[in-house]
Amino acid sequence: MHNIEYITTSVGEACVTWHPSHSEVRAILTLGHGTATGVEAADLQALAKALPARGITVALVEQPYRVMGDPRLSGPRILDTVWRDLWPQLESAQLPLVAGGRSAGSQVACRTARDLGALAVLALSYPLNGPGHAAELLGTGVPTLVVQGGNDPFGRPAQFPALPSTMELVEIPHADHMFNVPNDRESALELLTTAVGNWLDLRLSSVAA
C-alpha cells in the first residue's frame, strides 16, 4: 500500500509517494529521481518495497518539472529549491530523516544535506563523471552511502576518490547506471536493498545510542 500526496512548492507542485513502514516507524528515507526516469526507476521501487519491513517509511519525491511537464524547471538550483521547500513538511513527523536519490536526485541530496540537517545521505548511481564531481559528493557533511554499478559509465567505483571514514561505497558488480545486470537484475537489486537496509540499521543504532 502507498499514499500519493501533492505538495505545493515555490516552483510548482511536487508529488510525494509514501510507502509506510509495516511497523513502528524508525526513520523516513526521502528519495529523488534522476533525469532519465522518475520515481518508477527500478532501484527506487525496490527500496520502497523492501525497507518498510525494516521500519523505514520511504518517500519518493517527483519533482515539479515531471509533474507539470515543464523541462524549464529541471535546473540544479530549481531542484534544490523544491527539496528545501519540501523538507519542513517531511520533518514534521519528527523522525530521523535521511536524504537520498538516484543520479541527479543524489546530487540534490548531497548539495542540501548539511544545511537541512539530514541524518545521512544515500547516493544511488552518483554521476561522478558528469554532471557530478568529487567536491560535491565529499561535501555532504553527514554520513553518506554511495551505491554504484561496477560498469556505470557515469562513474565506476574505482574512479571515485578516497572516501573519508564517514562515507562508504558499495559496488553492485557488472551493473550499469540503472543497475541493469545481464541476466540477473533481481539479484543486483536484492544486493542493493540489503546493503542500504543494513547501512540504515547502523545509522539508526548510532542515533539511538
Side-chain angles (χ1 to χ4, degrees):
M1 293 292 293
H2 61 268
N3 305 310
I4 296 176
E5 179 181 12
Y6 289 90
I7 300 176
T8 300
T9 73
S10 60
V11 174
E13 203 167 46
C15 180
V16 180
T17 303
W18 294 93
H19 295 261
S21 166
H22 297 169
S23 56
E24 182 178 356
V25 187
R26 301 163 60 213
I28 298 173
L29 171 62
T30 307
L31 294 171
H33 55 79
T35 55
T37 59
V39 297
E40 74 278 5
D43 52 344
L44 302 184
Q45 290 295 319
L47 290 168
K49 181 178 179 181
L51 294 181
R54 290 178 177 252
I56 308 295
T57 288
V58 178
L60 302 181
V61 176
E62 192 153 25
Q63 286 273 350
Y65 80 89
R66 288 187 62 91
V67 175
M68 302 168 64
D70 188 348
R72 295 174 298 176
L73 304 178
S74 62
R77 290 185 181 179
I78 294 177
L79 300 182
D80 289 2
T81 295
V82 171
W83 202 253
R84 293 177 187 278
D85 288 351
L86 291 172
W87 201 258
Q89 184 139 342
L90 300 169
E91 282 185 315
S92 65
Q94 297 184 329
L95 290 163
L97 190 52
V98 177
R102 65 162 289 103
S103 198
S106 71
Q107 291 185 266
V108 174
C110 288
R111 290 192 296 258
T112 60
R114 186 197 300 266
D115 290 345
L116 294 176
L119 173 68
V121 165
L122 171 61
L124 304 167
S125 296
Y126 183 81
L128 182 69
N129 293 340
H133 51 83
E136 179 181 78
L137 177 65
L138 296 173
T140 64
V142 298
T144 301
L145 174 66
V146 181
V147 183
Q148 205 74 9
N151 288 330
D152 190 335
F154 291 96
R156 295 186 300 280
Q159 296 175 306
F160 278 70
L163 300 178
S165 60
T166 56
M167 303 184 76
E168 302 174 44
L169 191 151
V170 170
E171 177 177 350
I172 306 301
H174 313 298
D176 64 12
H177 193 62
M178 299 300 297
F179 296 111
N180 290 310
V181 174
N183 305 319
D184 200 13
R185 192 182 201 190
E186 290 305 313
S187 294
L189 292 175
E190 183 177 356
L191 179 61
L192 183 154
T193 57
T194 299
V196 172
N198 291 344
W199 175 76
L200 286 171
D201 285 345
L202 287 174
R203 301 282 74 72
L204 295 174
S205 296
S206 298
V207 170

